[in-house]
Amino acid sequence: MQRDENELESEPVYEIGEKVRLRKQIKNDGTFPGRDLGEILAKKGEIGYVSSIGTFLQRSYIYAVHFLEKGIIVGCREKELESAEENHESDVTSG
């Protein structure tokens, strides 16, 4: 996403209940309670499910992803995720 681009001008890429895979590891940036700053919350390649969709700074979607095996829900940005569904529209366009 370009710095001046507003994701909220279009629909969310992922849907609630959609199976997604992390494209990079996610560390605690200080917003995950009960965990140390910088602690790895989820690793690249882990699978989770979108449980809700919120916004950040009125510019970006934040996807709450439930990682069932770990029992945690982590907020992720679109660029940190890819669909793990077999027939997701963005799989074809994102290459």
Side-chain angles (χ1 to χ4, degrees):
M1 178 170 90
Q2 302 256 336
R3 195 164 171 55
D4 59 347
E5 188 177 341
N6 185 341
E7 274 182 37
L8 304 184
E9 292 176 356
S10 59
E11 294 294 316
V13 171
Y14 305 106
E15 298 176 3
I16 293 175
E18 187 167 348
K19 184 178 181 180
V20 292
R21 178 182 300 107
L22 280 179
R23 299 178 73 175
K24 60 182 252 178
Q25 79 178 8
I26 303 294
K27 293 181 180 180
N28 184 10
D29 61 1
T31 59
F32 197 95
R35 300 286 179 98
D36 292 334
L37 184 64
E39 182 178 340
I40 296 172
L41 300 173
K43 295 180 180 175
K44 180 179 178 179
E46 288 193 53
I47 300 290
Y49 295 85
V50 176
S51 61
S52 66
I53 303 168
T55 61
F56 178 68
L57 297 177
Q58 300 178 352
R59 300 189 65 75
S60 303
Y61 288 110
I62 297 295
Y63 300 90
V65 179
H66 189 180
F67 294 95
L68 298 174
E69 290 182 18
K70 291 186 171 214
I72 63 171
I73 297 173
V74 179
C76 301
R77 301 212 27 208
E78 177 186 334
K79 66 182 180 181
E80 297 169 328
L81 300 170
E82 62 187 8
S83 179
E85 300 279 349
E86 289 184 25
N87 55 354
H88 187 269
E89 196 175 295
S90 72
D91 289 343
V92 175
T93 58
S94 67

